Amino acid sequence: MNWKLPFDIPLVVPTMGLPGWFFDSLGVIVFVVHIAFIYTLIGASTASVLYNIFGVFKKSKTNDLLAYKMTNPTTISENMGALWGVAPLLVISVLYTGFFYTAILKVSPHILHIIYGNIFAFLLSYAYKFSWHALHEHKGFHISIGLVAVLTFYTLPPVFMSMSNLYLQPELFATVKNIWDIMLTPLTFFRLINFFLTAFAFTGIVMIYLGVKWVKAGGEDAEVGRLAIDQGKKWFMWAAPVNIAVLPLVFFAFSPRISEAYIHTPFVFLPFAASAVLLILFFFLLKRFSNEEFNGSDATKAMVLMIVAVTLMATARHGIRVVSFEEPLQLQAEATQEYMTNVITEYKAHKEEMKNAPAVVLDPAVSLADSKGCLACHSVDTKLVGPAYKEVAAKGESADVLIASVKNGSQGKWGETPMPTQTLTDDEAKTLVEWVLKQK
Amino acid sequence: MFDFPIFEMPTIGLRMLMAINAIIHVFVSHGGAVGGSVVLALAAWWTNKKNDLAGYETVYRLLMVFFIITTSVGALTGIGMWIHANIISPNAIGGLIRVFFWKWFIEWIVFNFEVVLLLFWFMTWKPKAETAEGRSKSVKFGIFYAVSSWVTMLIITAILGFMLTPNFDGQPWIDPEVYPGVVNYNNALFNPTWIPGLMMRTFSSIAFAGALAILWTWLITSFSKDEEIRATKERMIKFFATIMIVTVPVAAAFGYYYLLQIPEAARAMIPTAMMTRAFADKMDLMHMIISGIGGTVVLTTIIAYFSPKRMPYIAATLMVAAFMLFWGYEERTREFIRKPYLIYNYMYANGIRVTDVPYLNKVGILKHAVFVDEDKKVLKEDKSNLIEVGHTIAQIECRACHTENGINGLKFLTKGWSQEAIRNRLNNLPGGGTPYMPPFTGTEAEKDALAAYLASLNKRGEIK
């Protein structure tokens, strides 16, 4: 295969003697926490706007209150999601520097949308949350703010996923020129379906979990809690079946090289295992479908099963990395080694040469000329940017004219390139000009 | 060179792209998170101690503003620093992250505490505000939040200090001749600019946050419908002004101490860094600007302290504006005086390592540009692609600081220069006149190509 790969950075990876699987596990764990918050963010912000709309149309206070309560998990998960996104970035950028940074460069500047787009969405989500009571009489306007925030959140996964799909498939570095080349592919499409369905299923479980808590709190909250449990079940049971079907397909939408190798590893069972766990969770909820009261331990069980499913998906994704990077990492290491050997040989030779070079004793005027930057454009006997000092001396202008040229700049005496104004004292200018005039 | 694809930001340039993100981040992280946490925790503690419930409520309203800005703009531009640095110089950020991986990981763990404590403090404020016991618990969260946000600054300034003065005690942080490099963290971390840099930032952040708190207190209390909240204006402004009266002189003293620790070569570049090259000789103008900024801060602080009642919004706005100018200048200067290096003595501003230069001068910079198309990097026999090849070299070696014809554009810098003059200038880029330029790296033929490209910039569109 004709690879286009960046060299590795000639610095040791800071493992502190820890084995590779430690970093792999660290990467998977921090990623699972991150993605769990992101799923909740996408789902909870959607739910808040959705129940806000229902509240208006059904004239239901309970719906409205549920919508308001869903702004809390939105706030928490947007903050924690961003925070926990840093850790996987840190791990990945150290272990797979070349691939990760190349992918980011290839999808630039669009990747900056995940910074500025997020800021925009965050601010709108806060505006939506904190204006809830003030805008109570202006629901249309209030819902629009929430809707724009949610839609902005929805634009972020496609950008980020394009980057991640590209970095997982280094064979595409040579051909992908623009973010659209990778965004508009079946792989990104499949992974986005998987992402959004998991987000809705995950939020369903979160709603059940919170609902149980609210029911326990009693009063007005109990009613909202029951609605949350009922809706949570529906969210999961609508989203999970489609996801169960999509999930195993995602892993075969990668480049043929990766998909073929993936089949021969144990990782291939993980997507099916994730589907199986979702299926178990589906029947678990089905059994309790018409049951209004959902107990705390059942809610915890559902949450644990959901997290297991997400962890299995994340590990399956890590399998892609293992399969895909084996060969390019090897090639990269070889190229880097060869390059570094050459560099160090030349560098040592250069240092030796410098050491043996005869020492130069500088005239004070030369040091002055150097420190004032004159020698950047002039030399004594050859024309650089400006004329050689020999030529200047030969032209025979008086010292005063030259001093004026140095201090105020001049143009047209030696072609069109101008001599800029210089900052120096009268004495310094005099010293320099006298020295120049001696160079005949 | 560890080569990456080339990304250019037209017109505004990569430096400006980074600067926009970095300056926004510094405003928010210093004024909002680090300074803000201290100022608000102090204010919550003080109002609670005085049993000033209306004042305590004003602090909550301030916290809401700080919460919104720090968790959105502050946190995301923090991640943005990384992404932007990646786009501009993957080599530099890649090198730094490998060296400082565990330091950054620890910083991330502390950052977790910071965000969780902030979320907890803010989101549980209302229910806890009802009882005296709850309030004192809430104040404790504020104090823990302030401590953890300061610790994140402590770690980050160590890394920043290292980038400026890595060769503590004359020992290089990494031996360039050894691969894989042996990295000495402690030499890198305990360098002379760390402590003064940290202290200057800590106290000026608190002072800046004091100024921001005054501005917001003015806004919140002036527009409040609640009589009691409006009445807190004077005493809250006086409290924040007291914080400023204490911190401004301390920050200034540490700032001076920090300046003394900066290496000679870097300090010599401060005039250019602050005033740009065109104004480098107008030091009196620079002194006027500095006195203007300093004077505004001092004057408005004094007004706020002695006459909080008459504190007009103009003074508060001026105060914040002066601080913003100060931070903007501080960041620009600190970034600039590191030149021609990005990491002192190790990597030039364009991402080329010092050790790479002799080898690349021999084989050419383009030999290792794996992401560049062959017809843009290999000179044809008839030299028909000379300008294209030169363009590629400019993209690799110049793009970090220069654009083609936008900010710091090569076109304007070489206006009126002949191709021969440009060619000669490339021979001695670093020197007395331009000590901040890295050397040209590559073969003589590549130098010709770059000169041809640069000369072509001003020839385009001319009638022949």
Side-chain angles (χ1 to χ4, degrees), chain A residues 353-374:
Chain A
E353 207 178 293
M354 288 285 115
K355 226 196 287 175
N356 298 332
V360 188
V361 184
L362 288 179
D363 189 318
V366 178
S367 303
L368 181 63
D370 185 42
S371 73
K372 291 292 171 191
C374 312

Side-chain angles (χ1 to χ4, degrees), chain A residues 11 97 126 339 346 351 370, chain B residues 1 71 98 174 177 362 432:
Chain A
L11 274 179
T97 316
Y126 286 141
Y339 174 79
E346 280 304 315
K351 264 175 67 174
D370 185 42
Chain B
M1 201 59 231
T71 56
R98 285 198 181 192
I174 178 171
E177 294 181 28
K362 199 172 136 193

Side-chain angles (χ1 to χ4, degrees), chain A residues 27 49 76 103 155 159 161 237 258 264 284 288 327 422 426:
Chain A
V49 174
I76 292 170
T155 62
V159 174
M161 208 161 277
M237 292 168 93
I258 299 170
H264 303 292
F284 181 84
R288 289 157 185 78
E327 192 186 350
Q422 304 296 318
D426 288 339

Side-chain angles (χ1 to χ4, degrees), chain A residues 16 26 30 78 82 136 145 164 170 188 219 238 263 276-277 344 348:
Chain A
M16 289 205 316
L26 186 68
V30 288
E78 69 193 352
H136 204 73
I145 297 175
S164 110
T188 310
W238 167 81
I263 297 175
V277 175
I344 285 169
K348 282 187 173 159

Side-chain angles (χ1 to χ4, degrees), chain A residues 288-311:
Chain A
R288 289 157 185 78
F289 192 69
S290 46
N291 198 351
E292 273 222 344
E293 297 300 327
F294 207 94
N295 70 42
S297 93
D298 278 354
T300 311
K301 275 179 205 157
M303 186 58 107
V304 169
L305 280 173
M306 191 68 222
I307 289 174
V308 169
V310 171
T311 310

Side-chain angles (χ1 to χ4, degrees), chain B residues 170-185:
Chain B
Q171 295 177 43
W173 65 291
I174 178 171
D175 186 348
E177 294 181 28
V178 183
Y179 171 73
V182 184
V183 174
N184 187 335
Y185 292 124

